[in-house]
Amino acid sequence: MKYLKSLSLALALLLIGGNANAQIPVEILLGHEKTSFDLMFFKYLKKHDGNNSRILFFNRNRASIDYRQTSSAYLPQFGFTEALSYNHPAWKGFAPVVVAQLLNRGIYAKAGLQYARLAKDFTFFSWVVAELQEEPNVDFFVLTRYTPPLSERLHLYTQLELVNAFPTTESKTFSLIQRFRLGLKARDWQYGLGADFSQSGRNTWTNTDNLGIFLRHEF
């Protein structure tokens, strides 16, 4: 629907221009099938006095290049996700959230419920959102990260990400993605082993995987 695409595009532009005051972590995964680039962060927007507001800003920009690319197959994939949530302390981490996504297949506006717990060495971030259109997909997203200290300068780095899209009609397919990271963190650098898996389909399924090494830096 045209008005929904215009709404989500406007929201994305608004969020990109917001003052999130965040470190920018950038990751590259060199896999056996493709190379992926990932920029993702979430931060509370700042008030005029410099303190955190109740608005949490989520930003995700992701692209991948398949080594088997031709002029008509295995084309580069990209995705841009921007989200705003209102987090009241009494809600204990739960919050309403609106999401704008720009993907290869189109532009989408979504809304739903988010849960966030952001601590020094532990992060849990998740939402359940539905597309604001007829016959919507329902997205279930989970990001959990644990970075306990191993020494004064070195931390363990572990991360699990789940990106799932569940259709509400039989004419659409399921999409399930799992991304794993295991390595070390030294100041602003993280590095180690990475594995991405995906499954899509309904009665028959297509499975892919991409195994390799990742390097992540917080600018």
Side-chain angles (χ1 to χ4, degrees):
M1 300 175 70
K2 290 184 178 180
Y3 79 92
L4 289 178
K5 292 184 177 181
S6 300
L7 173 63
S8 55
L9 179 59
L11 178 59
L13 294 175
L14 173 64
L15 298 182
I16 291 172
N19 177 24
N21 193 28
Q23 286 184 304
I24 307 298
V26 178
E27 178 196 276
I28 178 172
L29 174 69
L30 301 174
H32 77 290
E33 292 285 355
K34 60 185 71 174
T35 294
S36 64
F37 304 89
D38 202 348
L39 184 157
M40 177 174 60
F41 67 86
F42 28 81
K43 280 286 187 177
Y44 286 95
L45 300 182
K46 297 295 184 179
K47 297 187 292 187
H48 294 297
D49 60 7
N51 293 320
N52 289 342
S53 72
R54 293 178 178 176
I55 305 299
L56 183 64
F57 169 55
F58 174 91
N59 175 85
R60 179 65 170 293
N61 303 317
R62 182 176 174 84
S64 63
I65 300 173
D66 197 301
Y67 307 142
R68 300 165 293 177
Q69 179 182 337
T70 67
S71 59
S72 58
Y74 301 106
L75 299 177
Q77 300 294 306
F78 65 87
F80 304 93
T81 301
E82 318 289 338
L84 284 178
S85 60
Y86 181 80
N87 296 262
H88 194 285
W91 299 340
K92 306 299 182 181
F94 290 96
V97 62
V98 291
V99 180
Q101 282 190 317
L102 172 62
L103 306 174
N104 285 69
R105 61 183 182 271
I107 302 175
Y108 303 88
K110 306 178 181 184
L113 183 65
Q114 173 186 288
Y115 177 79
R117 180 184 174 190
L118 310 179
K120 181 179 180 181
D121 297 327
F122 178 77
T123 295
F124 185 89
F125 185 89
S126 180
W127 66 44
V128 177
V129 296
E131 297 171 351
L132 302 179
Q133 61 184 31
E134 297 179 0
E135 301 182 351
N137 281 345
V138 176
D139 293 353
F140 176 51
F141 172 71
V142 175
L143 175 73
T144 180
R145 184 183 300 141
Y146 183 47
T147 59
L150 300 176
S151 67
E152 183 177 348
R153 297 185 178 182
L154 198 64
H155 289 241
L156 180 67
Y157 185 87
T158 63
Q159 180 174 290
L160 167 65
E161 181 182 354
L162 306 175
V163 184
N164 302 314
F166 301 104
T168 56
T169 64
E170 294 186 356
S171 61
K172 295 183 179 181
T173 58
F174 293 85
S175 175
L176 311 175
I177 297 173
Q178 308 89 42
R179 300 187 180 113
F180 301 89
R181 302 292 184 265
L182 175 62
L184 297 173
K185 175 182 177 183
R187 295 189 177 181
D188 295 333
W189 292 92
Q190 299 88 45
Y191 50 88
L193 303 177
D196 294 350
F197 303 96
S198 69
Q199 306 84 38
S200 60
R202 180 177 283 272
N203 297 320
T204 60
W205 291 80
T206 300
N207 301 284
T208 67
D209 58 74
N210 190 40
L211 311 177
I213 57 175
F214 77 91
L215 178 65
R216 186 175 181 267
H217 182 62
E218 297 177 0
F219 291 92

